[in-house]
């Protein structure tokens, strides 16, 4: 992990103390990475679920196999466990991404297991949760596009850890780790996109990572890097990530060019630039 030490400690303590946790923050702030790091450090298994409007109760809990039901009827061995039931039986961590994009009907099935430590499944019966079962959920801020408020019945049973963007030094370290280049200008540009008055949501550090990779490959194709190469890479890497304020008459491309002009023309010096990215685990 780069940064997020306090958040990692609070998450580890919550899991050890028997708490369920929601990690709340904008995209690209390391919520999934944080959970994986803490789970790996504790030697815990994780069941991952992608939260979206198509996540039904049956997809989360599991279902009876129709072919087996026709042969043998509704029996425990005809039931195919979903990620929730797998985590409950094994006492594992259940990680749900984008919790506030999940339909309320599906979220309601979580209330019983959070409150009572067990789940009741029709035609299967009561399934008690293992002692180490925990629900870890991640969600974007409520006002992000496509999100809804999570009910108080869920919120009241979970601790909340707010995760914001890391500081510039941490983001530069992340970019260097994943690209092999220490490019301060790319990080500065991504960070500046979050402060533009006409940008509702700017680029995360992922934008800076893609910018560095694109600029390197464009420079290789063109036989060298210049301001035009940086601009082309920046527009491709960042423009699709910007969410502009309603009523803004500028295009994302124009915003990116405006941000570049505000950086000045001098690129920050780069250290140890290999021809290909260094492996993440080698630093």
């Amino acid at each position: 992990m780069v940064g997020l030490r306090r958040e990692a400690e609070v998450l580890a303590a919550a899991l050890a103390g028997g708490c369920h946790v929601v990690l709340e923050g904008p995209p690209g702030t390391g919520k999934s990475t944080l959970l994986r790091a803490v789970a790996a450090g504790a030697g815990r298994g994780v069941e991952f679920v992608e939260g979206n409007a198509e996540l039904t109760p049956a997809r989360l809990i599991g279902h009876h196999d129709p072919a087996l039901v026709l042969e043998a009827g509704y029996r425990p061995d005809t039931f195919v466990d979903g990620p929730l039931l797998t985590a409950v039986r094994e006492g594992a961590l259940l990680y749900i991404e984008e919790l506030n994009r999940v339909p309320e009907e599906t979220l309601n099935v979580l209330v019983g297991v959070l409150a009572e430590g067990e789940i009741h499944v029709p035609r299967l019966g009561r399934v008690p949760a293992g002692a180490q079962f925990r629900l870890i959920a991640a969600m974007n801020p409520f006002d992000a596009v496509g999100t809804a408020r999570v009910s108080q019945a869920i919120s009241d049973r979970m601790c909340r850890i707010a995760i914001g963007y890391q500081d510039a030094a941490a983001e530069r370290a992340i970019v260097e780790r994943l690209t092999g280049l220490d490019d301060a200008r790319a990080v500065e540009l991504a960070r500046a996109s979050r402060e533009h008055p006409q940008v509702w949501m700017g680029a995360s550090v992922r934008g800076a990572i893609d910018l560095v990779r694109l600029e390197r490959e464009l420079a290789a194709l063109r036989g060298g890097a210049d301001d035009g190469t940086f601009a082309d890479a920046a527009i491709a890497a960042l423009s699709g990530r910007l969410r502009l304020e309603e009523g803004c008459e500028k295009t994302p491309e124009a915003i990116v060019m405006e941000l570049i002009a505000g950086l000045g023309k001098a690129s920050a010096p780069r250290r140890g630039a290999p021809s290909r990215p260094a492996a993440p685990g080698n630093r």
Side-chain angles (χ1 to χ4, degrees):
M1 290 295 298
V2 178
L4 300 182
R5 179 182 180 88
R6 178 185 65 83
E7 292 83 354
E9 291 174 343
V10 174
L11 177 57
L15 297 181
C19 303
H20 305 286
V21 180
V22 59
L23 307 174
E24 182 176 342
T29 49
K31 300 184 290 294
S32 299
T33 303
L34 173 64
L35 172 65
R36 286 186 172 93
V38 171
R44 301 289 302 279
V46 182
E47 289 290 322
F48 284 89
V49 177
E50 181 181 348
N52 54 54
E54 306 303 318
L55 183 62
T56 63
R59 289 179 177 177
L60 184 62
I61 298 172
H63 63 279
H64 284 279
D65 186 307
L68 295 178
V69 168
L70 287 174
E71 292 181 4
Y74 289 100
R75 299 171 26 168
D77 57 0
T78 68
F79 194 86
V80 180
D81 289 354
L84 172 58
L85 219 59
T86 298
V88 163
R89 292 187 197 273
E90 298 179 359
L93 302 179
L94 175 67
Y95 179 62
I96 302 179
E97 292 189 306
E98 308 284 0
L99 181 71
N100 50 354
R101 298 184 190 275
V102 176
E104 185 175 3
E105 177 189 14
T106 305
L107 289 180
N108 286 340
V109 306
L110 298 171
V111 175
V113 71
L114 295 181
E116 307 297 336
E118 61 184 31
I119 185 169
H120 292 265
V121 182
R123 295 192 175 96
L124 182 65
R126 171 181 173 272
V127 181
Q132 296 299 310
F133 168 76
R134 305 285 186 273
L135 170 64
I136 312 297
M139 67 182 191
N140 296 330
F142 162 65
D143 56 355
V145 176
T147 62
R149 291 194 183 278
V150 175
S151 71
Q152 189 64 20
I154 298 291
S155 299
D156 190 53
R157 292 173 168 85
M158 301 186 74
C159 296
R160 172 180 173 271
I161 301 176
I163 300 178
Y165 292 110
Q166 294 161 298
D167 61 27
E171 291 195 0
R172 284 180 63 176
I174 292 169
V175 171
E176 183 178 10
R177 175 174 294 188
L178 294 178
T179 69
L181 294 173
D182 177 18
D183 194 326
R185 187 165 66 157
V187 172
E188 184 182 354
L189 185 62
R191 292 176 65 83
S193 73
R194 305 168 203 159
E195 305 298 328
H196 192 283
Q198 293 175 294
V199 174
W200 174 70
M201 181 174 289
S204 71
V205 70
R206 293 176 185 144
I209 292 167
D210 283 352
L211 169 51
V212 172
R213 289 170 171 166
L214 277 169
E215 185 187 13
R216 175 177 53 209
E217 298 303 327
L218 276 176
L221 286 172
R222 295 173 177 177
D226 55 21
D227 287 345
T229 299
F230 181 81
D232 288 343
I235 288 172
L238 303 184
S239 63
R241 290 177 159 96
L242 303 186
R243 297 293 179 265
L244 305 186
E245 292 285 358
E246 189 172 351
C248 177
E249 297 182 355
K250 296 180 180 178
T251 65
E253 292 82 0
I255 296 286
V256 173
M257 292 303 296
E258 182 180 327
L259 292 169
I260 291 174
L263 297 180
K265 295 184 178 181
S267 178
R270 300 175 178 179
R271 304 193 308 268
S275 58
R276 284 290 181 268
N282 293 342
R283 291 178 180 271

